[in-house]
Amino acid sequence: MHPGDTLTLLAPLSGPIVPIESVPDPVFADKVVGDGISIDPTSQTLLAPCDATVTQLHAARHAITLSAAGGVEILIHVGIDTVGLKGEGFTARVKQGDRVSAGQALIEFDADRLLHKAPSLLTQVILLSGETSAIVERASGAARAGVSRLMTVSSRRKAGDDPAHASSAAEAGASRPPRATVGVTSALVTVPNPHGLHARPAAVLASEARSFAADISVELAGRNANAKSVVGLLNLGAGPGAELRLVASGSEAARAVARLVELVRSGLGEDLSAAPAAPRPTAPSPAPRAAADDDARRLHGVSAAPGLAIGPVCKVDPLAAPVEERGLDTEVELARLHRALTHTRHELKQLVAASGKRVEQAQIFSAHLSMLDDPEVITRAEVAIVEGKSAPFAWREAVMSSYRELARQSNPLLAARANDVRDVGGRALRHLVGGDEAQAVPAGSIVVAETLTPSEVVRLADQGAAGLVSVLGGTTSHAAILARSLGVPYLVDAPAALLALEAGATAVLDALNAEDAVLLLRPTEAEVDAYRARLGARQALRERQEAAAAERAVTRDGVRVAVLANIASADDARKAVRLGAEGVGLLRTELMFFDRAAAPTEAEQTAAYQEVADALGERPLVIRTLDVGGDKPLSYMPLPAEDNPLLGIRGLRVGALHPTILRSQLRAILSARVAGGHRVLLPMVAGIEELREAKQVLEEERRRAGSPPVELGVMVEVPSVAIQADRFAPEVDFFSIGTNDLTQYTLAMDRTHPRLAGRQDALHPAVLRLIAATVQAARKHERHVGICGAVASDPDAVAVLIGLGVTELSVSVQAMPEVKARIRELDAEKCRELARAAVDLGTAAEVRALLSPGARPG
């Protein structure tokens, strides 16, 4: 069939014709598999719609793929959710490889039997070869099998360009094991994610793979996994730097491989920034010490979220509900399973929506949605149900099987993803056993478990749990991230003896020391009193700091230091004001660009900036323009694949590549009314020419809008700007030093690298010298300079920063009361002496030692 030639397909069944968009299955209705037509059958023998070759007959005999003239690929799928019948009610009249004629019987099915087992008999006739063929005519009304014209297909390219065949994306991998098939094979592609192919990137890859009408597998070191299965991908154990190969067959194989390779190279939408270190809390008094013979009472672990708690032990397990092993009826149990999955899916979507501005939380629950739809886990459960097991028993066994496979991974970050599988499984199990309410815990209790999942952490925090302890888990797990954000102490890597603890017994959780957190069992009355005194002192100190937060931060010898907030939303702004913020030194605008199908409109941006400004009142606002690219990609803003994206198109360079988005954002910023005055901050500037180009764009948009002039500043993140600060100063109104990236580029250490992130310290003397150079140049030209990097929120670092001449710190909202209190304790002159000594040292460790409590200037 040459370009423009047509092929007529006859109706394979008799019955009313239904538009594909009306099929009650989003995979078909949304045309994920391909375009086509559905028939509500009144006949029971599926006929060939044209002369063709049987390229695939599904093992469940409910679906068949045909290859016709000109490379036209056709999938015929009988019924909805009929794969779960495992062939029951179907009889195949052909086999794979057979040549068939139009009108020849392909499959017979028992309609009455199927109607009692499946939700619908609607049969889809799908054109898989959408890249090479198109439907130019389609019938309506009623069809007559083997007689009525159903659709006419036209070829788009030469017959010699036939693509490989494809199968249903709705079931690829859901009913057959992953396999490497003949088709399109990629070159090796390296996993750039610092934690490897863990839950979030795996979920992105699986979700994208499911959108293609192709069989896709991912190969690693002789093993392969279904690209559409999150658990399958996780079980590959692909750590950072792993080299993957993608293999696909089907009408969209080439497009699928190209797209997936691009996604893998870009980090699969993951923010590749290194996980924030748990803050180092200030301890008002030393921890009580135990006698040597009391060591058995102390279960040591690692602090995943710092804090101190005293309370009764409470044990939880999301998969502990009692279930019956034997099922009543296959049909009933399958329906029960899928009903529970539907309820769980709805629940997770609500959690995503309720996450609001808590981006990390929303991303975690979005990943759980992909895990819930994992074809391998669902298939395991369905097979067990067909073999006679109950839906709850089959589901729990399928989940635990996947959980154990992941928990055995040698990579601790991948093993930690087992918690997420367990979380999803526990949610669905509650629906299966009829228990909508999760296990409740008494407020003030210390919850212990083999593992704690993200959902449990959120729920337990809401219930008032005082602390969390688990045998499994890590400091970079999703559960740990949430525990830190919620302020709940969390100890991980505890000994297995934890699981034998008696519920109700009093314990003390001391997670203040990151490397030696401890759960103290059966504390004596004296120990409890000592810990309570310590806890009370910490709480009282925090209360005093918050009570004084509204006061200005002035050193004992009269040097004023402005303390502003780093925020991402209006909610952050309101909280910052309550905790004493004197303004916002950094509004991270990129967060409103994430997790969207398209960039926010100009009106949406203006409304968001205005809400922040209104929350600040008369306080100043610094708005940083879009800072994406590198380790922060956007799915709707394609950037060229780069071997080292952190040294490529990111920050202001993205604005130059996508000027429409930059101009739109600048117009939105200029439209916001900021009583305290607003400043525009440009990220990732490296050269004077980049600054001048951006200044010109801002000035053009300002004149068009008739807006008054605004102050313009640059982020000092690249050493070249610090070194040339004297050249930049005449052309800007202010500097803001981003110490996270400045440290990364100064030390040539990727801050997303799992083995190097711990060695990144902004107090390295080389970084301190660059800060000093920037401050000196700013002073010479009467420009103000602030620090907005993480080091500004470190109370231990405040003294040396003030000593270097920094008079503005923009810190995390939670850190403001403590940072302001620390400034009031200092003497600026002694800080300058300290800074002079620090820049002459050789290592960050030596600087840290200089800043230790015993050596601090007072």
Side-chain angles (χ1 to χ4, degrees), residues 454-780:
S455 293
E456 289 173 311
V457 168
V458 174
R459 175 176 59 82
L460 294 170
D462 289 343
Q463 292 178 355
L468 311 172
V469 188
S470 66
V471 175
L472 303 177
T475 59
T476 58
S477 69
H478 290 157
I481 292 169
L482 291 177
R484 286 196 293 269
S485 70
L486 296 169
V488 180
Y490 183 22
L491 180 151
V492 298
D493 199 25
L498 176 76
L499 303 178
L501 291 183
E502 179 184 353
T506 299
V508 175
L509 171 59
D510 183 354
L512 294 176
N513 189 322
E515 296 303 322
D516 191 26
V518 65
L519 181 70
L520 175 63
L521 309 176
R522 303 181 303 279
T524 65
E525 187 173 332
E527 286 171 333
V528 170
D529 288 344
Y531 272 108
R532 281 183 176 154
R534 189 179 177 206
L535 182 59
R538 283 176 54 80
Q539 292 172 340
L541 175 62
R542 177 67 183 185
E543 289 171 3
R544 289 195 301 273
Q545 291 171 345
E546 289 189 8
E551 300 174 11
R552 290 188 171 189
V554 181
T555 65
R556 292 190 304 190
D557 53 349
V559 174
R560 167 100 158 81
V561 180
V563 180
L564 294 84
N566 295 335
I567 68 167
S569 67
D571 286 342
D572 289 348
R574 286 185 279 269
K575 185 175 181 181
V577 169
R578 289 197 300 271
L579 291 178
E582 300 172 45
V584 166
L586 175 62
L587 172 58
R588 297 184 177 96
T589 62
E590 58 270 10
L591 293 186
M592 75 175 72
F593 286 76
F594 291 145
D595 299 317
R596 302 173 59 106
T601 65
E602 195 172 311
E604 287 175 322
Q605 292 184 65
T606 298
Y609 305 147
Q610 191 63 58
E611 189 178 3
V612 170
D614 292 344
L616 293 177
E618 299 292 327
R619 299 169 183 83
L621 169 62
V622 176
I623 304 177
R624 185 174 68 186
T625 60
L626 185 61
D627 184 15
V628 295
D631 58 347
K632 293 178 285 187
L634 295 176
S635 60
Y636 54 84
M637 187 188 291
L639 295 173
E642 298 178 283
D643 291 334
N644 197 334
L646 291 173
L647 297 178
I649 307 299
R650 58 170 303 199
L652 189 59
R653 297 168 189 171
V654 174
L657 195 62
H658 296 272
T660 301
I661 287 182
L662 176 60
R663 287 181 177 273
S664 174
Q665 183 175 34
L666 291 174
R667 288 194 296 270
I669 293 172
L670 293 168
S671 297
R673 302 177 306 280
V674 184
H678 62 328
R679 310 165 185 166
V680 175
L681 180 60
L682 303 176
M684 289 305 300
V685 175
I688 291 284
E689 67 282 3
E690 293 175 327
L691 168 62
R692 290 171 178 165
E693 290 170 3
K695 283 178 67 175
Q696 181 179 343
V697 171
L698 174 61
E699 183 61 16
E700 289 172 0
E701 295 300 336
R702 188 192 68 78
R703 288 180 176 176
R704 288 194 186 101
S707 301
V710 297
E711 291 187 27
L712 180 66
V714 294
M715 292 283 290
V716 181
E717 301 171 283
V718 182
S720 61
V721 178
I723 293 169
Q724 286 191 301
D726 59 333
R727 306 298 292 272
F728 277 87
E731 305 208 25
V732 300
D733 297 295
F734 66 98
F735 292 104
S736 185
I737 303 175
T739 52
N740 300 351
D741 273 315
L742 183 60
T743 304
Q744 170 177 245
Y745 295 127
T746 301
L747 302 182
M749 288 183 184
D750 181 351
R751 63 189 177 98
T752 69
H753 196 293
R755 294 189 178 182
L756 297 178
R759 297 171 60 185
Q760 285 235 346
D761 193 332
L763 291 182
H764 192 286
V767 179
L768 296 181
R769 290 188 180 201
L770 291 175
I771 294 174
T774 304
V775 171
Q776 290 168 10
R779 276 183 177 169
K780 180 179 178 181

Side-chain angles (χ1 to χ4, degrees), residues 171-251:
E171 293 154 1
S175 51
R176 59 183 180 276
R179 56 187 172 85
T181 55
V182 178
V184 178
T185 301
S186 76
L188 289 174
V189 55
T190 301
V191 175
N193 307 64
H195 303 323
L197 201 62
H198 62 97
R200 291 185 206 165
V204 171
L205 181 59
S207 177
E208 189 73 15
R210 290 172 194 161
S211 70
F212 291 100
D215 285 333
I216 312 167
S217 66
V218 178
E219 297 181 350
L220 172 64
R223 293 174 291 120
N224 65 78
N226 182 352
K228 302 178 182 182
S229 166
V230 178
V231 172
L233 291 171
L234 292 177
N235 279 330
L236 281 177
E243 294 186 325
L244 308 178
R245 192 185 303 279
L246 287 93
V247 180
S249 68
S251 61

Side-chain angles (χ1 to χ4, degrees), residues 11-17 39 42-43 139-150:
L13 292 166
S14 297
I17 295 173
I39 299 174
T42 56
S43 60
S140 58
R144 185 177 172 190
V147 176
S148 302
R149 291 188 176 188
L150 186 67

Side-chain angles (χ1 to χ4, degrees), residues 62-405:
H62 70 300
I64 191 168
T65 304
L66 305 173
S67 179
V72 175
E73 300 280 337
I74 308 150
L75 167 71
I76 308 178
H77 189 286
V78 180
I80 304 296
D81 290 342
T82 45
V83 65
L85 301 181
K86 310 300 181 186
E88 181 182 353
F90 291 96
T91 303
R93 296 303 180 193
V94 294
K95 62 183 183 300
Q96 189 167 316
D98 284 357
R99 181 70 185 171
V100 297
S101 302
Q104 182 177 336
L106 303 175
I107 299 171
E108 292 179 357
F109 55 90
D110 185 338
D112 291 337
R113 192 173 180 183
L114 296 183
L115 281 172
H116 287 88
K117 302 283 187 179
S120 172
L121 278 184
L122 282 172
T123 296
Q124 288 59 248
V125 183
I126 305 293
L127 179 66
L128 295 179
S129 50
E131 289 188 342
T132 58
S133 313
I135 301 173
V136 293
E137 291 181 344
R138 65 188 78 209
S140 58
R144 185 177 172 190
V147 176
S148 302
R149 291 188 176 188
L150 186 67
M151 66 176 79
T152 302
V153 176
S154 175
S155 177
R156 288 176 170 163
R157 60 171 72 166
K158 296 180 180 180
D161 294 335
D162 291 358
H165 74 275
S167 61
S168 168
E171 293 154 1
S175 51
R176 59 183 180 276
R179 56 187 172 85
T181 55
V182 178
V184 178
T185 301
S186 76
L188 289 174
V189 55
T190 301
V191 175
N193 307 64
H195 303 323
L197 201 62
H198 62 97
R200 291 185 206 165
V204 171
L205 181 59
S207 177
E208 189 73 15
R210 290 172 194 161
S211 70
F212 291 100
D215 285 333
I216 312 167
S217 66
V218 178
E219 297 181 350
L220 172 64
R223 293 174 291 120
N224 65 78
N226 182 352
K228 302 178 182 182
S229 166
V230 178
V231 172
L233 291 171
L234 292 177
N235 279 330
L236 281 177
E243 294 186 325
L244 308 178
R245 192 185 303 279
L246 287 93
V247 180
S249 68
S251 61
E252 294 187 306
R255 195 158 65 91
V257 167
R259 173 59 179 155
L260 297 182
V261 166
E262 175 190 355
L263 273 178
V264 172
R265 284 176 175 163
S266 68
L268 291 159
E270 185 181 25
D271 182 347
L272 302 178
S273 300
R280 291 186 297 275
T282 301
S285 60
R289 297 180 63 86
D293 57 359
D294 284 342
D295 285 349
R297 297 187 300 132
R298 295 175 174 266
L299 301 181
H300 293 270
V302 177
S303 174
L308 184 64
I310 305 170
V313 169
C314 181
K315 300 163 73 172
V316 298
D317 183 351
L319 292 172
V323 299
E324 292 291 334
E325 181 175 352
R326 301 303 301 174
L328 300 175
D329 177 85
T330 298
E331 174 188 353
V332 172
E333 299 295 341
L334 283 171
R336 187 180 176 189
L337 172 64
H338 287 283
R339 194 161 49 245
L341 294 178
T342 298
H343 288 318
T344 308
R345 192 174 295 112
H346 178 66
E347 183 179 316
L348 284 168
K349 287 180 179 178
Q350 287 182 321
L351 281 171
V352 172
S355 296
K357 303 294 185 181
R358 297 155 100 179
V359 178
E360 287 281 4
Q361 187 167 316
Q363 289 176 334
I364 289 168
F365 291 130
S366 295
H368 287 187
L369 271 169
S370 291
M371 287 182 171
L372 184 69
D373 291 326
D374 194 290
E376 292 189 1
V377 178
I378 293 174
T379 298
R380 281 174 176 169
E382 289 175 336
V383 169
I385 289 172
V386 171
E387 293 173 348
K389 306 298 184 184
S390 72
F393 183 87
W395 175 253
R396 185 168 68 183
E397 291 303 300
V399 169
M400 288 306 298
S401 178
S402 293
Y403 167 79
R404 285 188 290 266
E405 288 173 0

